[in-house]
Amino acid sequence: MALLNNDKDILPLSSISELLSAKIRTLKMYEDKGLLPQKNNKIKKLYSINDVKIIAFVHYLANIKKINANGIKYILEIIDENMDEQNRNSFLDIIESKLENISENDIQDLESF
């Protein structure tokens, strides 16, 4: 049995939008603002499992914490410049577990606020 390769690009934005309960247009807006991992080799951009963690983090910062695009870029730069791959993955795993604890009702309550 082969191990799962979390770096292989396999997911389109439409699948990621379903996973995150986000609108495709919202994810495309993040992409247009340069907040998503850069994929410049294909017409239809595909993302890896590790990319999904970053996309979920970006969506959380924008949608829940209401941080603007420049603030998110700054946060992502800090993470990229100051963490090696192992620490970055550990950090994103912690963020992922915290995001799993946020329920749909909590998100809807924040959106209506």
Side-chain angles (χ1 to χ4, degrees):
M1 183 172 133
L3 295 175
L4 180 64
N5 181 357
N6 288 344
D7 291 320
K8 187 171 183 172
D9 296 333
I10 56 170
L11 295 169
L13 275 181
S14 59
S15 295
I16 296 170
S17 72
E18 287 184 42
L19 287 171
L20 300 178
S21 299
K23 295 177 182 166
I24 294 174
R25 183 66 208 133
T26 301
L27 298 181
K28 287 188 182 281
M29 181 190 64
Y30 298 155
E31 184 180 64
D32 293 343
K33 292 185 179 201
L35 301 176
L36 302 187
Q38 298 299 311
K39 305 291 179 181
N40 54 11
N41 56 349
K42 297 179 183 173
I43 293 173
K44 184 169 183 173
K45 296 177 180 96
L46 299 175
Y47 295 90
S48 69
I49 300 298
N50 288 335
D51 292 337
V52 172
K53 292 178 182 180
I54 293 170
I55 295 168
F57 183 53
V58 167
H59 185 60
Y60 168 76
L61 292 174
N63 197 36
I64 304 299
K65 292 298 185 179
K66 304 296 184 198
I67 298 174
N68 66 21
N70 288 333
I72 294 171
K73 282 182 185 178
Y74 183 68
I75 291 168
L76 293 175
E77 280 178 27
I78 290 171
I79 291 170
D80 284 341
E81 292 174 4
N82 295 304
M83 291 184 177
D84 60 13
E85 185 177 348
Q86 182 180 5
N87 286 329
R88 184 172 39 253
N89 289 337
S90 296
F91 173 75
L92 290 173
D93 287 342
I94 292 168
I95 296 297
E96 182 181 19
S97 68
K98 292 192 180 285
L99 290 177
E100 288 173 356
N101 292 330
I102 298 175
S103 72
E104 284 286 321
N105 292 337
D106 293 336
I107 292 171
Q108 290 173 355
D109 289 344
L110 285 170
E111 287 176 349
S112 65
F113 182 70

